[in-house]
Each structure stands twice: as C-alpha cells, then as structure tokens.
C-alpha cells in the first residue's frame, strides 16, 4: 500500500501523506489541504474522519475487537479490577503492586465531598435526573479545588484525577439517596471501589448492609467494559472542551452531558423502557421488530446497532453472560431478560438487521444487570459515566500532555445568503 495519496481538484493534483496505525489502519493526512488547494473536506458526524492519533484503545468494528492499551477486553473483564483498568488507561500500563496500592490509597483518601457541597443536594427536587446533578456537581468541584483550574499545574493533575474518580461515585450515590429521601451514606475506607459504591447506594442506618461479593465482581466487570471506547461522542466532547485548556472538571462535566443522549449512553435507560413497553404490550417482540424497520415509525430497537461495530459488540457478549448469572440470583426470573433474548433472536434472523449489520451493543443487556442490582432505570446512564470516566480522563491527559495539541476548530461549508444590505424596520413590510 503506497504511503501517499493523490488528490486531483480542478487542474491541480496534490500528494497527501498516508499514515499507518499500529494495527494497519490507514489515515490520509489532510492537514495541508486548505493551504494547498483552498478546499476543505466535508464529513458530517465524522464517519470517515480521525480527529487525532491515540495510543489508548484499539477497536476493530468488523472483527469485534476491543483492547485497552493492547490488552483484550475479555482478559481485563475476567482478571482485573476496575481500579487497575482505570490506572492502565490513564497511565498506560497495568500497575505494579506499589503503584496500585498508591492509586487505591489516593481514591480512598479522596472519596468524601466537601460538606458545603453536600448541601447543594438540598436545592434539587427529588425527581431531578441524576445525570443533570452529576454534570453540575462535577463542574462545581472546580470551585473547591482552584489549583486544578490551570492545566499547566502538572503536579495537580494526579490528585485531581484521583479526586474525580472517587468523588464521581460518591456524587452518584448521593443523588440516588436524595431521590429516595434516605440519608446519605459516607464512603468507608475499608471497602474497595465497587463495594463502597454498593454500600453508599444501598445501606441504610437501620440495618447492616450484607455485601454480595458476586455483585461486587459483576460491577467491576461492567465498569471495566464501559471504561473506554476510543473517539465516541462523549470522549470527543471531552477532547473538544479540553482542547481550549478548560480544566478536567469542566471537560468531564461536558462529556457527562454528551453521554446523556439516548443515542449514546442514554440508550441503556431507553432499552429498559423499551423492554418494559414490549412486556406491558403482551411481549410481542415480532411487532416491535417490524416497527423498528419502518422509517416513519420513529421507533428504533434501542441497544441495537453501532457506528463502528458491524459485528457483535464484544462487550455485549460478556454482559449478556453476566446478566444471565445475576438474574439467576434473583428470587423471580426477570421477564424482561426473557423478552430481551427473544428480541435479539428475532432481530438477528431478520434481513433488515442482518443486512445493516445491526447487533446488540453494550447498552442492550447492561440495564438488566443494573435492575437486578436494584439500581433504578434513571441511574443507568450514571453507571455508564462512572465506568467511562477513566477513559475520558485518559484521553484528556493524552491531549494535554501532547505539545502539538491545538484548540479544535472545525471548518464549514457556508450555504446561507450571499451579501445583502441591512433593511430598516420601517421598510420590512
Ligand atoms: C453507545 O461510538 C461509540 O463507541 C458509542 C458506545 C461507547 O462505548 O461509547 O459504544 C456507546 O453509544 C452505543 C450505542 C447506543 N445507542 C443505541 O443503542 C441507540 C440505537 N442505535 C442507533 O440509533 C444507531 O445504531 C447508532 C446511533 C448507535 C448508530 O447510528 P449510525 O452509525 O448513525 O447509523 P445509522 O443511524 O445511519 O443507521 C444505519 C441504518 C439506518 O437504516 P438505513 O437508513 O440504512 O435504511 O441502520 C438503521 C438506520 O435506520 N438503524 C436502526 C437502528 N440503528 C440503526 N434501525 C432500527 N433500530 C436501530 N437500533
């Protein structure tokens, strides 16, 4: 394959360098295009456009491959903890024991919110969507840690990373307790990251909370599976905001809001609403598969399809197995899991989905597990955010550490009116 591409525009032909990624992906470098031709490229939704080089995550949508810093997601989900994977993504290697102990200690020491910040929750109605609270509280963290405001304060970055990973979990649990009208539960330094989350969510002063180690393991797996996914919508948002040298709290607060969208991280909440709707309507999955095929129906099979995966999302395979395991622990089998299985089978044997390579994605089964854990539907995207946080941080840090980073400022193709004069109000008819 040539390491150059040729572009003919008008009577001009220019040579463009072709970059080859470590897994053989090809990228045509057009950084000189406008200077040499006056033209820009147009690629709505950036379907064909790489925004950056990155060494963090590799995924191959055709083959259903996902690796964090080269390590297959299947091996990480089976053998690692979420804290280890967070370190791997952010610092580029699996931590040695000393590094893991120091990182865990950092998260343990910075899990509480400033007591003034706890009072912010008094102002929110109990019906507030927790994603709105999460983003607002993360942005507000910058008020309590002003030294983190300048990205040039390199010595502040590591403690800011620890504070954010630990406190995001606390903010999430407090938003749940607020919605339940229950007292906030403080973090416990004796508990691991995921066990602390379960305790802050579900323990109540009136009784001792019994930790279920199976749920701790499944939660570690779920957070690992959500931890990064290269240049997805919310990660690109974090990079875009961070490219203006906005601080980490501001960049992540923006990423949280991008994730909230129903086409992105908000899909896991939509999947459960969809499954519940199918169940309430008698469980006729064929009817909904047919509805999803009708463009004008406005209905999509949420949790199906993916911009990059044109094969089964490797994360969905692992989550499906975990959903099976967790729901078997429930007193009653979950009718929505049975509907999900039937919906998947009906869709994957239908030419509309097969032809468009629409498979279950990470969001299709995750909500079933969260529901089995007792996590309410409106917290599902918050769970996605807790998992994705290390990925957002890793990409923000990779960008901030890169001396060639410039502020992102895409071009456009203008299609509005050509020059016309101002018309005074009296003459506007
Ligand atoms: C995430 O980018 C990432 O990496 C994201 C993510 C991550 O880890 O960060 O993986 C997390 O966001 C997963 C996706 C969660 N979203 C959903 O489950 C929502 C439902 N899925 C879709 O809306 C859709 O599949 C997207 C948004 C995920 C992808 O959309 P694309 O790439 O823009 O594809 P498209 O909308 O152009 O669809 C291609 C065709 C269209 O039909 P035609 O116009 O070719 O006839 O497939 C159809 C679409 O109508 N289609 C669907 C469908 N998804 C696509 N039809 C029915 N149901 C669906 N779910």
């Amino acid at each position: 394959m040539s390491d150059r591409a040729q572009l003919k525009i008008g009577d001009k032909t220019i040579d463009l360098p072709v970059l080859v990624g470590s897994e053989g992906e090809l990228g045509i470098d057009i950084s000189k295009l406008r200077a040499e031709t006056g033209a820009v490229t147009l690629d709505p939704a950036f379907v064909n456009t790489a925004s950056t080089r990155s060494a963090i995550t590799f995924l191959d949508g055709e083959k259903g491959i996902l690796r964090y810093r080269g390590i297959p997601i299947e091996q990480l989900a089976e053998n690692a903890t979420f804290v280890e994977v967070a370190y791997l993504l952010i610092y580029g290697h699996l931590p040695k024991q000393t590094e893991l102990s120091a990182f865990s200690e950092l998260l343990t020491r910075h899990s509480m919110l400033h007591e003034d910040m706890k009072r912010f929750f008094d102002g929110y109605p109990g019906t507030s969507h927790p994603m709105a609270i999460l983003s607002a509280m993360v942005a507000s963290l910058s008020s309590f840690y002003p030294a983190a405001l300048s990205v040039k304060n390199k010595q502040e970055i590591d403690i800011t990373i620890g504070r954010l990973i630990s406190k995001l979990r606390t903010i999430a649990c407090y938003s749940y307790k607020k919605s339940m009208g229950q007292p906030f539960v403080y973090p416990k330094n004796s508990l691991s990251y995921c066990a602390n989350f379960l305790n802050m969510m579900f323990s109540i002063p009136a009784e001792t909370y019994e930790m279920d180690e199976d749920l701790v393991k499944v939660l570690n797996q779920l957070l690992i599976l959500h931890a990064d996914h290269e240049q997805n919508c919310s990660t690109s948002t974090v990079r875009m905001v961070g490219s203006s040298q906005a601080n980490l709290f501001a960049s992540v607060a923006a990423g949280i809001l991008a994730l909230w969208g129903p086409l992105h991280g908000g899909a896991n909440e939509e999947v459960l609403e969809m499954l519940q709707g199918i169940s309430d309507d008698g469980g006729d999955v064929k009817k909904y598969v047919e509805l999803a095929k009708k463009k004008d129906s406005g209905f999509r099979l949420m949790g199906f399809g993916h911009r990059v995966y044109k094969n089964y999302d490797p994360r969905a395979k692992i989550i499906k197995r975990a959903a099976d395991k967790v729901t078997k622990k429930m007193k009653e089998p979950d009718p929505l899991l049975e509907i999900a299985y039937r919906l998947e089978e009906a869709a994957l044997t239908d030419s509309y989905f097969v032809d468009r390579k629409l498979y279950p994605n990470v969001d299709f089964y995750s909500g079933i597990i969260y529901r089995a854990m007792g996590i309410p539907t409106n917290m599902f995207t918050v769970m996605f955010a807790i998992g994705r946080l290390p990925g957002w941080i890793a990409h923000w840090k990779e960008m901030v550490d890169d001396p060639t980073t410039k502020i992102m400022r895409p071009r456009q193709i203008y299609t509005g009116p050509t020059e016309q004069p101002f018309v005074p109000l009296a003459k506007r008819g």
Side-chain angles (χ1 to χ4, degrees), residues 345-358:
E345 190 190 339
L348 295 190
T349 51
D350 184 297
S351 60
Y352 173 93
F353 292 86
V354 175
D355 296 349
R356 290 168 178 79
K357 298 185 168 56
L358 302 175

Side-chain angles (χ1 to χ4, degrees), residues 229 263-264 300-301 303-304 306-307 315 352 361 388:
H229 215 239
L263 293 187
H264 189 18
R300 279 196 163 187
L301 281 193
F304 259 78
H306 199 278
R307 170 63 54 76
R315 301 167 296 176
Y352 173 93
N361 59 48
R388 183 52 52 89

Side-chain angles (χ1 to χ4, degrees), residues 6-203:
Q6 280 208 325
L7 178 71
K8 189 169 173 8
I9 180 165
D11 55 3
K12 192 165 185 157
T13 300
I14 62 166
D15 267 353
L16 295 166
V18 175
L19 309 174
V20 185
S22 34
E23 292 288 342
E25 324 92 273
L26 300 179
I28 302 171
D29 181 345
I30 58 169
S31 38
K32 300 266 186 299
L33 178 70
R34 191 168 184 276
E36 293 188 16
T37 69
V40 295
T41 57
L42 176 64
D43 184 18
F46 311 122
V47 176
N48 306 285
T49 297
S51 60
T52 185
R53 295 176 173 84
S54 179
I56 299 168
T57 289
F58 171 72
L59 62 86
D60 181 319
E62 283 65 34
K63 296 185 188 133
I65 291 172
L66 175 58
R67 300 184 198 130
Y68 296 161
R69 300 283 186 181
I71 304 174
I73 190 69
E74 296 79 3
Q75 295 178 30
L76 291 167
E78 192 51 42
N79 303 300
T81 64
F82 174 60
V83 170
E84 275 181 291
V85 169
Y87 189 98
L88 168 69
L89 286 166
I90 295 166
Y91 295 104
H93 63 274
L94 283 171
K96 295 191 287 286
Q97 185 56 62
T98 49
E99 292 165 327
L100 181 58
S101 303
F103 190 57
S104 299
E105 178 65 8
L106 180 71
L107 300 183
T108 298
R109 289 277 152 238
H110 294 282
S111 55
M112 289 174 67
L113 298 188
H114 190 292
E115 286 294 301
D116 288 350
M117 221 179 156
K118 244 182 65 180
R119 277 187 274 281
F120 287 16
F121 287 87
D122 297 343
Y124 288 106
T127 53
S128 303
H129 196 290
M131 284 297 275
I133 296 175
L134 203 67
S135 180
M137 296 299 258
V138 164
S140 301
L141 282 172
S142 52
S143 314
F144 294 85
Y145 306 104
L149 292 182
S150 164
V151 299
K152 294 185 171 56
N153 258 354
K154 297 290 182 194
Q155 70 282 0
E156 277 299 306
I157 285 187
D158 287 337
I159 190 168
T160 301
I161 289 170
R163 281 180 171 134
L164 189 45
I165 293 177
S166 199
K167 294 179 197 298
L168 187 85
R169 170 195 49 181
T170 308
I171 293 166
C173 295
Y174 284 9
S175 66
Y176 172 66
K177 286 306 200 186
K178 165 76 186 186
S179 72
M180 297 295 285
Q182 291 178 358
F184 294 158
V185 173
Y186 282 98
K188 273 188 177 174
N189 290 355
S190 58
L191 295 177
S192 67
Y193 188 89
C194 289
N196 230 331
F197 170 83
L198 292 171
N199 187 59
M200 285 194 275
M201 281 285 284
F202 299 118
S203 74

Side-chain angles (χ1 to χ4, degrees), residues 59 226 228-229 231-234 259 262-265 267 271 292-293 295 299-310 313 315 352-353 356 358 361-363 384 388:
L59 62 86
H226 286 81
D228 192 48
H229 215 239
Q231 305 307 321
N232 59 85
C233 177
S234 53
L259 186 74
L263 293 187
H264 189 18
V271 167
K293 291 155 60 175
K295 289 279 170 277
F299 175 79
R300 279 196 163 187
L301 281 193
M302 301 313 276
F304 259 78
H306 199 278
R307 170 63 54 76
V308 179
Y309 286 125
K310 301 308 171 191
D313 185 331
R315 301 167 296 176
Y352 173 93
F353 292 86
R356 290 168 178 79
L358 302 175
N361 59 48
V362 67
D363 292 308
F384 195 142
R388 183 52 52 89

